[in-house]
Amino acid sequence: MTEFAKRISECSEQASKIPEEKEEDHQNYSVEEEEEYPEEVPETRTVTEVMSTNKRIQRYLIAVEYIGTRFSGSQKQLNCRTVVGVLEEAFHKFIGQPVSISLSSRTDAGVHAASNVCHVDVERISKRKPGEVLPPHDSSVVRRAVNHFLQKSEGDIMVTDVRCVPSDFHARFRAQERTYFYRILSGPEPLSVFEKDRAWHVTEELDLRAMQEACKVLVGCHDFSSFRASGCQANSPIRTLDELHVSEVVSTALFPSINQDSPVLSSIDNSSKLGMPNGGSNVFGIRKKHRSYEVIARARSFLYHQVRLIVGVLKAVGTGELTVSDVERILKAKTVTAASPMAPACGLSLGFVKYDLPEDDQTDAAESLETCPDPLFVSVAKGVLLAVSIVMDNATEETAATEPQSGVRIAGEAIFAKITDSRTSAELEEAIKEEMKLLKKRRKDWQEQRQNCGLRRRKQMNNLCNSQLSV
């Protein structure tokens, strides 16, 4: 056997001794298919894992809200406007380099979100000195900067919260539960333009109690194959629905329910002014209001289109097309063909994603006092810059090279650069002290040069006078 064959044999023996990875090692990350999108392709190590292991990179947990009407879903797609695509573009403009965003929950086209969550890895590179890595941005800075660029888009998406999290924190796999809301507006009148694409308009009256009884059948751990769209790629249809509830609500103060027990209506004496059906429907310019219903579904994870299929069945129960016993039959059928037509996407909203955040990352109020520059120092620095700008405006190119304005200008520009790169109050204070020392030194040098210049001029004048007198 040759030397090369021996080395190959040794490597094979070492490889056979490596223990295989157990399935239970990933037990905490076994989140299945989520509502509104097929199973996501696993992220490659070259994009996410390598970035997260770099100690110079900070991972941020970001909560966003958006109106899904003008989005073609949440996941990034070619030639389509998506939530991830818009967020990645805003971050690119903010930090000057591309990023990869991972969502906790995927939403379909037309589905809204009051709070969807994602994570992103950011490496802060100095814009003054390319290649120089700076301390990570504070969470509040990230939120304001990204929202600044998002406002230049359609204005239908906004970052609501940002937290610094460990590099191994995953927005999707660490989510403990997700809560979805579905709005139904019942009534024969056309929807207001303010409610269009924000709720499902049902012209029939709904039996609220029957719908509530149907919810009780579906709560708990069941095989939800009958409420699973054909495109679902989840390994198992078994899901635990922790909460499923429907109630009549007042959506906003501007669009109250016609329910007489509404807290909004009880505070108003003359109900006819609101277009009430009893005596107020003939008031010119006041539209008849719809009954507003809200379905709440809460679970750790959902099947593809599970919530919308459930709402479709609840609506059929409310209109009398189905009974509570029919819901039990549909659940036991374990086929999606047994369910009622799926509810439209416009009424669905992702309301909340729950996490068990570490204490240090959950409350960074105390942390921000140490990491953010003190407003006093920022104000002082801005005052210095203002004075510098005034001096610069008054100084000409001729005098700038010989008079102390040049020193002030250089110091002011240096302080401005330090403000940009400083992350803590101590760093900013130290930067200002250093630059002021440099300014004093330059002024002293200039004074010495001026004094020497004066001595030389007086000597030249004396020599000139002496030469003239001798003539």
Side-chain angles (χ1 to χ4, degrees), residues 4-28:
F4 178 78
K6 289 182 180 179
R7 295 177 67 180
I8 292 293
S9 177
E10 291 175 359
C11 292
S12 301
E13 292 177 1
Q14 292 178 0
S16 63
K17 295 179 182 180
I18 298 176
E20 295 183 359
E21 189 176 18
K22 297 181 180 179
E23 185 178 354
E24 60 186 22
D25 293 339
H26 297 279
Q27 187 174 3
N28 294 331

Tab-separated table of all heavy atoms in Angstrom, residues 4-28:
chain	number	residue	atom	x	y	z
A	4	PHE	N	0.203	7.378	-0.015
A	4	PHE	CA	-1.027	8.136	-0.272
A	4	PHE	C	-2.272	7.325	0.105
A	4	PHE	O	-3.207	7.827	0.715
A	4	PHE	CB	-1.088	8.501	-1.767
A	4	PHE	CG	-2.331	9.234	-2.159
A	4	PHE	CD1	-2.468	10.581	-1.873
A	4	PHE	CD2	-3.379	8.567	-2.785
A	4	PHE	CE1	-3.619	11.251	-2.225
A	4	PHE	CE2	-4.525	9.242	-3.138
A	4	PHE	CZ	-4.649	10.571	-2.858
A	5	ALA	N	-2.267	6.016	-0.199
A	5	ALA	CA	-3.402	5.144	0.133
A	5	ALA	C	-3.552	5.002	1.643
A	5	ALA	O	-4.661	4.939	2.177
A	5	ALA	CB	-3.221	3.777	-0.513
A	6	LYS	N	-2.414	4.954	2.364
A	6	LYS	CA	-2.476	4.872	3.826
A	6	LYS	C	-3.126	6.104	4.421
A	6	LYS	O	-3.949	6.010	5.341
A	6	LYS	CB	-1.061	4.706	4.392
A	6	LYS	CG	-0.446	3.345	4.123
A	6	LYS	CD	0.942	3.255	4.751
A	6	LYS	CE	1.584	1.891	4.482
A	6	LYS	NZ	2.953	1.808	5.081
A	7	ARG	N	-2.785	7.265	3.915
A	7	ARG	CA	-3.353	8.516	4.443
A	7	ARG	C	-4.849	8.596	4.166
A	7	ARG	O	-5.635	9.051	4.982
A	7	ARG	CB	-2.634	9.714	3.825
A	7	ARG	CG	-1.165	9.778	4.223
A	7	ARG	CD	-0.445	10.920	3.558
A	7	ARG	NE	-0.929	12.196	4.036
A	7	ARG	CZ	-0.460	13.371	3.607
A	7	ARG	NH1	0.495	13.398	2.706
A	7	ARG	NH2	-0.958	14.489	4.083
A	8	ILE	N	-5.262	8.101	2.980
A	8	ILE	CA	-6.694	8.073	2.656
A	8	ILE	C	-7.427	7.148	3.616
A	8	ILE	O	-8.527	7.446	4.102
A	8	ILE	CB	-6.903	7.624	1.200
A	8	ILE	CG1	-6.383	8.687	0.240
A	8	ILE	CG2	-8.375	7.326	0.924
A	8	ILE	CD1	-7.163	9.975	0.275
A	9	SER	N	-6.828	6.024	3.930
A	9	SER	CA	-7.458	5.059	4.841
A	9	SER	C	-7.600	5.632	6.237
A	9	SER	O	-8.623	5.461	6.907
A	9	SER	CB	-6.624	3.776	4.873
A	9	SER	OG	-7.174	2.856	5.790
A	10	GLU	N	-6.544	6.343	6.711
A	10	GLU	CA	-6.601	6.953	8.040
A	10	GLU	C	-7.699	7.999	8.114
A	10	GLU	O	-8.436	8.098	9.098
A	10	GLU	CB	-5.244	7.580	8.375
A	10	GLU	CG	-4.140	6.555	8.588
A	10	GLU	CD	-2.791	7.218	8.807
A	10	GLU	OE1	-2.753	8.475	8.774
A	10	GLU	OE2	-1.798	6.509	9.003
A	11	CYS	N	-7.834	8.822	7.073
A	11	CYS	CA	-8.880	9.854	7.055
A	11	CYS	C	-10.263	9.230	7.075
A	11	CYS	O	-11.184	9.726	7.734
A	11	CYS	CB	-8.734	10.736	5.810
A	11	CYS	SG	-7.251	11.768	5.815
A	12	SER	N	-10.430	8.097	6.381
A	12	SER	CA	-11.726	7.427	6.364
A	12	SER	C	-12.087	6.895	7.731
A	12	SER	O	-13.239	6.968	8.170
A	12	SER	CB	-11.708	6.287	5.343
A	12	SER	OG	-11.419	6.773	4.060
A	13	GLU	N	-11.069	6.333	8.433
A	13	GLU	CA	-11.324	5.816	9.782
A	13	GLU	C	-11.700	6.932	10.743
A	13	GLU	O	-12.596	6.787	11.572
A	13	GLU	CB	-10.080	5.076	10.295
A	13	GLU	CG	-9.794	3.789	9.542
A	13	GLU	CD	-8.519	3.124	10.044
A	13	GLU	OE1	-7.893	3.688	10.983
A	13	GLU	OE2	-8.160	2.091	9.513
A	14	GLN	N	-11.039	8.086	10.644
A	14	GLN	CA	-11.363	9.225	11.513
A	14	GLN	C	-12.760	9.753	11.229
A	14	GLN	O	-13.504	10.107	12.136
A	14	GLN	CB	-10.337	10.345	11.318
A	14	GLN	CG	-8.947	9.975	11.819
A	14	GLN	CD	-7.949	11.079	11.574
A	14	GLN	OE1	-8.297	12.126	11.029
A	14	GLN	NE2	-6.696	10.852	11.964
A	15	ALA	N	-13.134	9.784	9.959
A	15	ALA	CA	-14.469	10.275	9.604
A	15	ALA	C	-15.560	9.357	10.128
A	15	ALA	O	-16.633	9.803	10.523
A	15	ALA	CB	-14.589	10.408	8.086
A	16	SER	N	-15.282	8.042	10.141
A	16	SER	CA	-16.295	7.097	10.628
A	16	SER	C	-16.512	7.208	12.120
A	16	SER	O	-17.555	6.812	12.641
A	16	SER	CB	-15.870	5.671	10.272
A	16	SER	OG	-14.655	5.333	10.929
A	17	LYS	N	-15.544	7.763	12.852
A	17	LYS	CA	-15.674	7.906	14.302
A	17	LYS	C	-16.433	9.147	14.714
A	17	LYS	O	-16.784	9.304	15.875
A	17	LYS	CB	-14.271	7.947	14.938
A	17	LYS	CG	-13.508	6.649	14.779
A	17	LYS	CD	-12.124	6.755	15.395
A	17	LYS	CE	-11.326	5.477	15.190
A	17	LYS	NZ	-9.963	5.576	15.785
A	18	ILE	N	-16.694	10.068	13.770
A	18	ILE	CA	-17.426	11.292	14.099
A	18	ILE	C	-18.872	10.941	14.378
A	18	ILE	O	-19.534	10.315	13.541
A	18	ILE	CB	-17.337	12.307	12.946
A	18	ILE	CG1	-15.874	12.701	12.714
A	18	ILE	CG2	-18.196	13.540	13.242
A	18	ILE	CD1	-15.692	13.620	11.532
A	19	PRO	N	-19.422	11.293	15.558
A	19	PRO	CA	-20.814	10.938	15.881
A	19	PRO	C	-21.778	11.677	14.975
A	19	PRO	O	-21.581	12.834	14.631
A	19	PRO	CB	-20.974	11.386	17.339
A	19	PRO	CG	-19.944	12.441	17.525
A	19	PRO	CD	-18.784	12.055	16.635
A	20	GLU	N	-22.869	10.982	14.579
A	20	GLU	CA	-23.883	11.606	13.757
A	20	GLU	C	-24.713	12.582	14.573
A	20	GLU	O	-24.934	12.368	15.760
A	20	GLU	CB	-24.809	10.527	13.163
A	20	GLU	CG	-24.082	9.608	12.191
A	20	GLU	CD	-25.042	8.620	11.571
A	20	GLU	OE1	-26.227	8.668	11.928
A	20	GLU	OE2	-24.601	7.813	10.732
A	21	GLU	N	-25.170	13.636	13.918
A	21	GLU	CA	-25.965	14.656	14.587
A	21	GLU	C	-27.344	14.096	14.895
A	21	GLU	O	-28.030	13.573	14.032
A	21	GLU	CB	-26.101	15.891	13.688
A	21	GLU	CG	-26.732	17.054	14.391
A	21	GLU	CD	-26.763	18.262	13.492
A	21	GLU	OE1	-26.626	18.077	12.274
A	21	GLU	OE2	-26.926	19.371	13.995
A	22	LYS	N	-27.762	14.195	16.151
A	22	LYS	CA	-29.042	13.663	16.571
A	22	LYS	C	-30.161	14.625	16.227
A	22	LYS	O	-30.000	15.824	16.256
A	22	LYS	CB	-29.042	13.407	18.087
A	22	LYS	CG	-28.023	12.347	18.491
A	22	LYS	CD	-28.079	12.108	19.994
A	22	LYS	CE	-27.066	11.045	20.421
A	22	LYS	NZ	-27.110	10.824	21.879
A	23	GLU	N	-31.319	14.039	15.943
A	23	GLU	CA	-32.468	14.853	15.582
A	23	GLU	C	-32.941	15.690	16.745
A	23	GLU	O	-33.416	16.795	16.586
A	23	GLU	CB	-33.600	13.951	15.088
A	23	GLU	CG	-34.800	14.712	14.570
A	23	GLU	CD	-35.859	13.789	14.062
A	23	GLU	OE1	-35.596	12.562	14.009
A	23	GLU	OE2	-36.938	14.289	13.704
A	24	GLU	N	-32.725	15.175	17.971
A	24	GLU	CA	-33.215	15.894	19.149
A	24	GLU	C	-32.422	17.154	19.415
A	24	GLU	O	-32.857	18.032	20.156
A	24	GLU	CB	-33.156	14.987	20.376
A	24	GLU	CG	-31.752	14.505	20.705
A	24	GLU	CD	-31.726	13.481	21.831
A	24	GLU	OE1	-32.756	12.843	22.063
A	24	GLU	OE2	-30.681	13.343	22.468
A	25	ASP	N	-31.247	17.291	18.795
A	25	ASP	CA	-30.472	18.512	18.974
A	25	ASP	C	-31.202	19.708	18.405
A	25	ASP	O	-30.970	20.843	18.791
A	25	ASP	CB	-29.102	18.387	18.289
A	25	ASP	CG	-28.220	17.355	18.979
A	25	ASP	OD1	-28.497	17.071	20.160
A	25	ASP	OD2	-27.299	16.834	18.332
A	26	HIS	N	-32.114	19.492	17.445
A	26	HIS	CA	-32.857	20.578	16.824
A	26	HIS	C	-34.305	20.588	17.282
A	26	HIS	O	-35.160	21.155	16.634
A	26	HIS	CB	-32.801	20.446	15.303
A	26	HIS	CG	-31.417	20.563	14.756
A	26	HIS	ND1	-30.812	21.780	14.554
A	26	HIS	CD2	-30.509	19.624	14.408
A	26	HIS	CE1	-29.599	21.588	14.054
A	26	HIS	NE2	-29.393	20.299	13.964
A	27	GLN	N	-34.561	19.970	18.420
A	27	GLN	CA	-35.942	19.874	18.882
A	27	GLN	C	-36.534	21.242	19.168
A	27	GLN	O	-37.707	21.489	18.936
A	27	GLN	CB	-35.985	19.012	20.150
A	27	GLN	CG	-37.395	18.703	20.623
A	27	GLN	CD	-37.392	17.735	21.779
A	27	GLN	OE1	-36.342	17.356	22.251
A	27	GLN	NE2	-38.557	17.330	22.215
A	28	ASN	N	-35.712	22.162	19.673
A	28	ASN	CA	-36.220	23.490	20.019
A	28	ASN	C	-36.482	24.342	18.780
A	28	ASN	O	-37.056	25.413	18.884
A	28	ASN	CB	-35.215	24.216	20.925
A	28	ASN	CG	-35.079	23.531	22.272
A	28	ASN	OD1	-36.028	22.906	22.740
A	28	ASN	ND2	-33.907	23.636	22.869
